[in-house]
Amino acid sequence: MVKTLHDVCLTCIQKRLDKIPDVGRRLPNVHKEILLERLVNHDILTEHYFKAVQKSLFMNNLRRVTLYKSDQLTDAMLKTLGERCPSMHQLTIHMCSKITDNGIKSVTKTQKELMILELRKLANFTGKGLELLKSPTLKLLDLRGCNAVTNEAVETVTRNNPTISSLIIYDCGQLSPQVFASIAQALRHNLEEIEGCPRPMTDENITALARFCPNLTNLNLLGSSKLTGNALLELSQGCTRLESLDLSYCYGLQESPDNQFLWTLPTSLTHLSLCGVLLADEDLVVETLQRLRHLKSVRLCGIPAINDITFPKILQHIGGSLEVIDISGSRVLTDVGLAAVAKYCTCLLELDLSISKLLTGHTLLPLLRDPERAPLLRKIFLSVQKIQAEVLMAMAERCCNLEKFDAAGVEKVSDHLLMTMAANCPRLKHVGIKGCKQVTDTGVCAIARCCPLKSLVLSGIQSITDKTVFTVSNHCHNLEEIYLNGCSNVSTTTINYLIDNCLPRVYVQHKTPNLVSEHIMGKNIDTGEFCRMDLLMDSGSAR
């Protein structure tokens, strides 16, 4: 992917804000927001340059501000932002190490039109900085990864902003389950979504949501191991509009009599996850899922009751509406039962078969070769040791709208497969081919040149060299993360080049205990490819 003229022009402006006269008045609002985000991403927000930023970009009409992974951003800068831009609609501050409660307080206390506030992974933020936030339009509050946030802070911000409809509290380690009751009483009928839950959740915490929040549509209870059938019944009766429910690893629902209450789940559900709930009662699982006729997404990872007899019975009733199926980790399902996917699923967008040891995937061929259904697929997870090469090629040739592909550890993944995907899958953004030993620079470079990659997992591929990293650097300007663990032929110098050349803040993981010494790289003027100079010199000497 080549940089567009639009990107090149914005890059020129971001480096010359202090030199272009009256640039703030000439720039459209959307470009000011983009420039501010880029300045943060590229560590250009120094105290010296901040004067130009303040003058040219901090205007009253800024609506969407994103500040990501910056060690330069300070509380003082946030204070200036809050004073100059009191009418923001969306504010995102993510992994900024110097930001404390003081900075958050100064930037949020003036906001009266804020609708979305995302404060993620802020190590020095306890939540006290939100005590003055009172925005009558606030709908979404995201505090994921803020480990120091307290119950008191969450109770205060929800009490002062009762319009919040979506609350995300993943990985907030200081929160206790009792905060659920306070959240429910503060937000009441306005609360529609709550993601993340402190552990261990008890029935009392769950029933508080059921009693006070009748409009709840999205609830994630992943890991609530003490949840019982009685609480599930109250939830089903009190929250009749539930659309998405994650009961993954709720071990209390595995055995009778608690598992019987799965029959009471509201028929309004469109997304259900039962991953890790080791249900063995086949009739229970079949009848539970058959009655949920509106399901679009079902995750049944590792459930022993999913086998060649039960799986077709389930899909016969709900397969026509399913867009997402996750049956990863199955130890009993074979290709006989898997054939139901191709037979009944007409609008599938995502399929996960990972770590299902008995599957070869050949009964999926009617689906993957269907000219109408194959282009619908967006995500495919095929980390299955026995997967057939024919299945992989059918996917590469026909799934032209594929965005995410993962086949970690699959030996049949080859350069030819990747080159076919490069030619046929122009929307591919996430590729995971960890440990695929047949892959070399040739296949990965083909993908990098043709696809707008955001995530690339190449760990454990010994044949990958600096050539791949240079190609990714020069074509994948929107790369967000790359994993190169164990790629001993990739040098640190090349990694640094990658970090400098990618547009967003890229996350690189490159751990290799036996890393070879640094190689000098150079660009071949004739071919345009990057090559190791020591090898070129050796070949020249041989001639």
Side-chain angles (χ1 to χ4, degrees), residues 197-233:
C197 58
R199 301 188 186 96
M201 293 293 292
T202 64
D203 285 4
E204 182 181 358
N205 309 135
I206 302 299
T207 54
L209 290 172
R211 292 169 183 169
F212 294 107
C213 306
N215 294 326
L216 199 65
T217 61
N218 187 338
L219 179 61
N220 189 327
L221 297 175
L222 184 149
S224 299
S225 57
K226 294 187 177 182
L227 177 67
T228 69
N230 289 325
L232 186 62
L233 175 62

Side-chain angles (χ1 to χ4, degrees), residues 61-124:
N61 56 356
L62 281 188
R63 293 293 181 264
R64 178 184 175 275
V65 174
T66 300
L67 307 168
Y68 174 62
K69 201 176 180 181
S70 173
D71 293 330
Q72 296 177 330
L73 188 70
T74 65
D75 287 344
M77 293 177 182
L78 286 185
K79 180 179 180 182
T80 304
L81 176 63
E83 293 170 349
R84 299 289 297 274
C85 305
S87 303
M88 287 185 283
H89 293 169
Q90 178 175 348
L91 175 61
T92 299
I93 305 176
H94 187 184
M95 291 182 69
C96 296
S97 60
K98 293 182 179 178
I99 298 305
T100 70
D101 287 291
N102 291 331
I104 299 300
K105 181 182 294 186
S106 60
V107 75
T108 58
K109 68 181 181 180
T110 60
Q111 305 302 326
K112 300 302 179 185
E113 299 179 21
L114 200 60
M115 293 184 285
I116 298 174
L117 179 60
E118 298 171 318
L119 306 174
R120 303 175 183 170
K121 296 185 179 180
L122 302 179
N124 300 314

Side-chain angles (χ1 to χ4, degrees), residues 375 377-378 399-404 421-422 424-430 450-454:
L377 283 164
R378 299 291 189 271
C399 299
C400 56
N401 292 310
L402 202 62
E403 296 176 2
K404 189 168 188 175
M421 295 183 73
N424 298 321
C425 308
R427 299 182 179 181
L428 199 58
K429 297 177 182 178
H430 306 273
C450 300
C451 303
L453 294 180
K454 288 189 174 182

